[in-house]
Amino acid sequence: PEPCSPPEPPKTQPGALPGPTRWGICSAGAISHDFVVALKTLPPSEHTVAAVAARDLGRAQDFARRFGIPRAYGSYEELAEDPDLDVVYVGVVNPAHLPTGLLFLRRGRAVLMEKPMGLRAHEVAQLVGMARERGVFLMEGFWTRFFPAWRRLRALVAEGALGSPLVLRGALGFALRGVPRLREPGLGGGVLLDLGCYGLQMALALLGSGAPPSLRAHGVLHETGTD
């Protein structure tokens, strides 16, 4: 196959103001840390982190100092009211995705939601419905969809270069015993929402169009009830 294509240049939206995309970061946890580290690899002329919010002001201020972010807030509501943002990255724990996402969408904020977008299909429907009602951008943060290798693989399948794929077999192995939230139902725990979604979204993208006619799952449950 041909080599992977280089990244696409950023597209300027009609009516957009000149200058970098101004990001707000919702939550000062580990996943938000990793997102900002990745964002900092891009040219500051294209992306800048303008503000961060956490439920604890001290944590937000520590996060802001670490990354040189000019504004820190002690509530998500304050971040939602910041007029100098173009998009908010939401990195809160899984059960908070719905209320936090609705908070920003209702205020007309574009949202990049860390996966999974919601715990249940009806939660995703609520978020999508609010984004459509307000006419704002909403996307689930699957970074793998933007890897050049992934784009090339999808192109090969679309061209028929691999024939007609019938089976996708994938495996992810991580030592997760030290991640307490994965064992807690109240925190949206379980490996399917955390990691299994990678395999599911690949299968949906490569094994035909539309929703599958049926889904089956089998596995082992933790004593707390999470998978």
Side-chain angles (χ1 to χ4, degrees), residues 66-133:
R66 187 181 311 148
F67 291 106
I69 300 171
R71 298 186 296 282
Y73 300 115
S75 71
Y76 302 153
E77 288 78 9
E78 290 176 279
L79 184 66
E81 296 297 335
D82 190 320
D84 297 319
L85 299 177
D86 299 307
V87 58
V88 176
Y89 168 78
V90 177
V92 296
V93 294
N94 292 348
H97 284 190
L98 176 63
T100 310
L102 290 176
L103 168 69
F104 292 109
L105 293 171
R106 286 191 179 109
R107 285 167 172 77
R109 302 297 183 193
V111 170
L112 177 62
M113 179 71 72
E114 181 56 46
K115 55 85 185 165
M117 187 173 286
L119 295 180
R120 304 284 188 275
H122 70 85
E123 293 190 1
V124 176
Q126 283 184 259
L127 290 165
V128 172
M130 182 58 65
R132 287 174 174 164
E133 178 184 319

Side-chain angles (χ1 to χ4, degrees), residues 164-182:
S164 298
L166 300 177
V167 175
L168 184 144
R169 187 184 303 275
L172 286 168
F174 291 89
L176 297 174
R177 294 182 183 276
V179 186
R181 67 175 177 81
L182 289 178

